[in-house]
């Protein structure tokens, strides 16, 4: 069974929406609901941080998979014009930010935790460094989640109009 170009466009749009909502919805739920609740509910802040860190890591890998698939879809659809696609730019930026956080900042933060097994002493150099890395990581997460929100709100309008006009 072969799909018509219009039906194929609709399938692509639906698949993109599912991937984007899985990724961005997960970012928002984990980052702005679950992680704050962990720190509010659990008395052990170290345990709350460990659980939150693992959840963020899982979301990073989901983001890398979904973001790569979405970027490939945009590149395929845009063809030679991909450099003019703001969607490609937003997705590429999100993938870069996630990669910096997951493969750059997270290993440095983990190394600091391992170096100070009993926990950080307030005011120590290690605590200050961890705080700085955590702040940068939080800023990257904020930018990523806002870019994702922009994609959810208005990322498919042009593709949908093109699909609708071809019917």
């Amino acid at each position: 069974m072969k799909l018509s170009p219009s039906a194929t466009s609709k399938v692509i749009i639906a698949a993109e929406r599912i991937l984007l909502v899985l990724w961005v919805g997960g970012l928002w739920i984990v980052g702005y609901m679950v992680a704050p609740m962990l720190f509010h509910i659990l008395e052990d802040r170290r345990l709350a941080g460990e659980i939150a860190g693992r959840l963020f890591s899982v979301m990073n890998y989901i983001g890398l998979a979904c973001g790569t698939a979405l970027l490939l879809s945009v590149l395929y659809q845009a063809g030679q014009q991909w450099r003019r696609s703001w969607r490609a730019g937003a997705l590429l930026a999100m993938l870069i930010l996630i990669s910096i956080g997951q493969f750059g900042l997270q290993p440095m933060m983990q190394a600091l935790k391992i170096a100070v097994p009993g926990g950080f002493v307030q005011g120590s150099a290690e605590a200050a460094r961890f705080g700085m890395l955590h702040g940068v990581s939080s800023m990257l997460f904020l930018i990523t989640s806002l870019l994702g929100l922009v994609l959810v709100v208005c990322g498919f309008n042009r593709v949908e109009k093109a699909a609708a006009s071809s019917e």
Side-chain angles (χ1 to χ4, degrees):
M1 180 174 133
K2 187 170 180 169
L3 295 175
S4 69
S6 174
T8 302
S9 293
K10 288 180 181 180
V11 169
I12 290 170
I13 290 168
E16 284 182 336
R17 282 184 174 165
I18 291 167
L19 290 173
L20 189 62
V21 168
L22 172 67
W23 177 19
V24 176
L27 284 174
W28 282 78
I29 293 295
V30 169
Y32 301 114
M33 290 183 70
V34 174
M37 286 182 79
L38 286 170
F39 285 96
H40 180 73
I41 293 170
L42 298 176
E43 291 181 25
D44 185 347
R45 293 185 58 79
R46 190 172 175 96
L47 176 61
E50 184 66 31
I51 295 169
R54 288 184 185 193
L55 289 169
F56 283 118
S57 184
V58 167
M59 283 311 310
N60 285 339
Y61 285 110
I62 289 171
L64 289 171
C66 291
T68 299
L70 289 166
L71 183 58
L72 290 173
S73 178
V74 169
L75 295 176
Y76 174 77
Q77 290 176 59
Q80 297 291 334
Q81 303 300 316
W82 72 268
R83 287 188 179 112
R84 295 184 184 180
S85 170
W86 69 269
R87 290 174 61 213
L91 289 165
L92 186 58
M94 291 172 75
L95 288 169
I96 290 169
L97 294 174
I98 289 171
S99 296
I100 290 169
Q102 183 65 32
F103 304 114
L105 297 172
Q106 290 303 321
M108 288 190 275
M109 292 167 68
Q110 193 61 33
L112 278 171
K113 289 181 193 177
I114 292 169
V116 186
F120 299 117
V121 175
Q122 193 171 9
S124 69
E126 293 86 1
R129 178 143 172 85
F130 185 85
M132 186 269 306
L133 291 170
H134 188 272
V136 171
S137 180
S138 296
M139 185 58 63
L140 296 181
F141 182 85
L142 174 65
I143 294 166
T144 302
S145 64
L146 290 174
L147 284 170
L149 183 61
V150 169
L151 284 169
V152 167
V153 170
C154 54
F156 297 96
N157 293 340
R158 200 168 87 188
V159 175
E160 288 172 347
K161 287 177 186 171
S165 67
S166 67
E167 293 178 351

